[in-house]
Amino acid sequence: MSTTERPRILVVGGGYVGLYAARRIMKKMRYGEATVTVVDPRSYMTYQPFLPETAAGSISPRHVVVPLRRVLPGVEVLTGRVTTIDQDRKVAAVEPLVGEPYELPFDYLVIALGAVSRTFPIPGLAENGIGMKGVEEAIGLRNHVLEQLDKADSTTDEEIRRKALTFVFVGGGFAGAETIGEVEDMARDAAKYYPNVKREDMRFILVDAADKILPEVGPQLGKWGLEHLQERGIEVYLSTSMKSCVDKHVVLANGLEVDASTIVWTAGVKPNPALAKFGLPLGPRGHVDTAPTLQVQGTDYIWAAGDNAQVPDLAAGEGAWCPPNAQHALRQAKVLGDNVVSGMRGFPQQDYKHANKGAVAGLGLHKGVAMIVVGKTKIKLKGRLAWYMHRGYHGLAVPTWNRKIRVFADWTLGMFLKREVVSLGAIENPREEFYEAARPIPAPAAEKSTGSTEAGAAKGAADAEKVAS
């Protein structure tokens, strides 16, 4: 840690807001004016809109993450968690990745913890569900799905085959619709290489408690997306919830019961629960309550933005709040960075105001929906053209030119080369094979007595002499 006496700007979280705010602060600040410290359990930021394509193998996992230390030169990056904040003393309690917890003093504070998966106390969900909030989960989902195809192709047991080839996705927003669309596309391609598995053998199920999917793109495009998924053989159950999934036996509220090897949970997000320990004013759903300037209500040295903040949406009118999406998070981070530097210098703060520019979603290769807002006109696109818009927007939005070039290179190669359909499931337990080879072999029961042990030792010495000679 730095021992400088300069003012410290502490950024809690290294996601969208944390990364972009820290970069903005460093850009606007004079050299040596303050120390910027970012604390996050991971040493990288994940560009979450690319997770469905990562799960489908269209983008390399390493290309959807941005290493904080590389893109934040001059910033102090600490790998750990901020567990509590003492506002009176202006001290944060930090729990590092290893070692003892310690206190970190600060002068200015940025809350950018983001969100976590919103779950419910559904029996079996914690044990059997797969989330889609991190790159690790996207990699795990891809390996898991391909492993199920391996199992189904290699067994003659119809019950095992049926369970292995049944995939349930809960949540019909961006994350759920995009993920099931991409994974179904990948499984359809992969089935060409399995002689005993056909697409008709697979069962894809999408469940949502709402009465529509993809609400972000509007009812018309949402309806088209629903019909498109159904045309691909995906079963969609709306106004339906999952009651339980104990032992991977899925029970839906509409009475449907099915054994599924894969249960993916993408039913929304909620603010990071760690916020409850920070002593900050929270809204009804647990978000940090902020003013239009992104300053936390009642403070002049704490700012918050992104998924963990309740930010007034001035462009939408009285009583509206900014939705928790990447479009707002990226723009809020820039205003937040400017306001932190202005606050440090005693200058006025500026309000955050941004009109929605639309939304794009990919539903697999060459398939998508897009709603683009130009002035007061909404342009609605679907199919291949919308898919191009989806890739173009997110390809340019991913941080740093390094990542932009790598992502576009992945897509370019994908135009000429078929996607890989290899399961690397063993990556989750990489030491298992070595352990089996290196672990001590237990002695036979007959040799466990003292006499047998001495006899075994003598025999071992004699064998060693024979080998030596």
Side-chain angles (χ1 to χ4, degrees):
M1 293 181 299
S2 173
T3 57
T4 178
E5 294 300 323
R6 294 177 295 186
R8 172 179 271 114
I9 302 169
L10 176 60
V11 181
V12 183
Y16 290 101
V17 173
L19 170 66
Y20 277 98
R23 290 183 75 185
R24 187 74 170 187
I25 292 168
M26 293 299 292
K27 179 180 179 180
K28 295 290 184 176
M29 203 170 58
R30 293 187 293 268
Y31 177 77
E33 188 174 357
T35 297
V36 179
T37 302
V38 176
V39 181
D40 194 275
R42 294 181 175 86
S43 60
Y44 54 85
M45 171 264 206
T46 302
Y47 192 72
Q48 293 177 350
F50 281 157
L51 292 182
E53 287 199 60
T54 302
S58 299
I59 302 177
S60 171
R62 285 186 175 85
H63 299 165
V64 304
V65 297
V66 182
L68 296 177
R69 289 181 173 85
R70 180 171 180 174
V71 301
L72 295 176
V75 172
E76 184 179 54
V77 178
L78 304 178
T79 306
R81 299 177 185 274
V82 172
T83 55
T84 59
I85 291 174
D86 187 331
Q87 296 185 48
D88 294 331
R89 297 168 53 217
K90 286 191 175 182
V91 167
V94 177
E95 189 177 278
L97 193 62
V98 294
E100 295 296 320
Y102 55 85
E103 290 189 338
L104 188 67
F106 63 84
D107 298 274
Y108 306 95
L109 183 64
V110 175
I111 305 297
L113 282 177
V116 299
S117 295
R118 182 185 61 188
T119 59
F120 303 98
I122 298 173
L125 178 60
E127 296 79 9
N128 301 310
I130 302 172
M132 275 295 286
K133 284 289 293 175
V135 67
E136 304 87 353
E137 292 170 318
I139 297 170
L141 177 59
R142 170 178 168 77
N143 290 330
H144 174 80
V145 170
L146 293 175
E147 187 176 26
Q148 302 316 303
L149 301 188
D150 290 339
K151 290 179 180 178
D153 188 63
S154 306
T155 184
T156 57
D157 189 314
E158 280 303 315
E159 186 176 341
I160 293 176
R161 275 175 53 84
R162 194 179 305 111
K163 183 175 182 178
L165 296 177
T166 301
F167 310 93
V168 176
F169 292 71
V170 183
F174 270 149
E178 288 189 307
T179 303
I180 195 171
E182 293 285 356
V183 171
E184 189 274 341
D185 214 26
M186 177 191 71
R188 184 186 293 271
D189 285 347
K192 300 173 184 177
Y193 304 98
Y194 291 88
N196 301 316
V197 176
K198 299 180 177 61
R199 172 59 183 92
E200 293 74 23
D201 300 329
M202 305 177 201
R203 188 177 185 184
F204 282 86
I205 300 172
L206 178 62
V207 182
D208 198 295
D211 60 356
K212 57 182 175 293
I213 68 168
L214 293 170
E216 299 90 347
V217 296
Q220 185 178 345
L221 289 177
K223 182 181 179 182
W224 183 89
L226 170 63
E227 293 172 350
H228 170 76
L229 293 179
Q230 290 173 328
E231 288 172 1
R232 288 163 59 180
I234 297 173
E235 301 173 39
V236 182
Y237 298 101
L238 301 178
S239 302
T240 303
S241 59
M242 184 171 70
K243 295 177 65 177
S244 70
C245 56
V246 177
D247 296 329
K248 297 195 174 182
H249 179 73
V250 176
V251 180
L252 302 183
N254 62 1
L256 178 68
E257 296 190 27
V258 62
D259 289 324
S261 64
T262 308
I263 303 166
V264 182
W265 182 269
T266 59
V269 296
K270 64 181 180 181
N272 195 309
L275 294 172
K277 301 179 181 179
F278 289 0
L280 302 172
L282 303 180
R285 296 187 177 181
H287 300 79
V288 180
D289 190 14
T290 74
T293 59
L294 304 176
Q295 285 180 305
V296 175
Q297 295 285 6
T299 73
D300 60 0
Y301 64 95
I302 307 177
W303 291 261
D307 292 356
N308 69 182
Q310 180 178 276
V311 180
D313 190 347
L314 300 182
E318 185 74 23
W321 309 101
C322 294
N325 58 34
Q327 182 180 157
H328 278 289
L330 298 182
R331 289 168 172 79
Q332 287 172 5
K334 295 179 181 179
V335 174
L336 186 152
D338 291 345
N339 282 351
V340 169
V341 175
S342 296
M344 185 169 56
R345 295 173 180 171
F347 296 156
Q349 305 276 296
Q350 70 177 101
D351 289 344
Y352 171 75
K353 185 177 182 179
H354 169 68
N356 180 36
K357 298 299 183 183
V360 292
L363 300 174
L365 203 60
H366 305 147
K367 300 172 278 286
V369 291
M371 188 269 290
I372 312 300
V373 180
V374 180
K376 294 183 178 181
T377 304
K378 292 183 179 180
I379 302 173
K380 299 173 183 178
L381 305 172
K382 56 190 177 183
R384 185 183 287 263
L385 185 57
W387 178 76
Y388 284 133
M389 291 293 299
H390 164 75
R391 283 200 162 182
Y393 173 79
H394 287 299
L396 294 174
V398 66
T400 78
W401 281 103
N402 181 302
R403 287 300 178 269
K404 295 182 201 296
I405 292 171
R406 291 178 185 272
V407 167
F408 277 105
D410 283 342
W411 287 338
T412 303
L413 289 173
M415 295 170 59
F416 304 101
L417 305 174
K418 294 181 179 180
R419 77 171 107 203
E420 296 290 346
V421 291
V422 179
S423 170
L424 299 177
I427 199 171
E428 296 177 18
N429 297 290
R431 295 188 63 254
E432 185 174 356
E433 185 175 345
F434 178 79
Y435 174 76
E436 289 298 324
R439 69 185 177 93
I441 300 175
E447 295 183 4
K448 288 186 178 179
S449 65
T450 304
S452 298
T453 302
E454 292 174 353
K459 183 178 183 300
D463 290 343
E465 288 181 4
K466 289 179 182 179
V467 173
S469 63

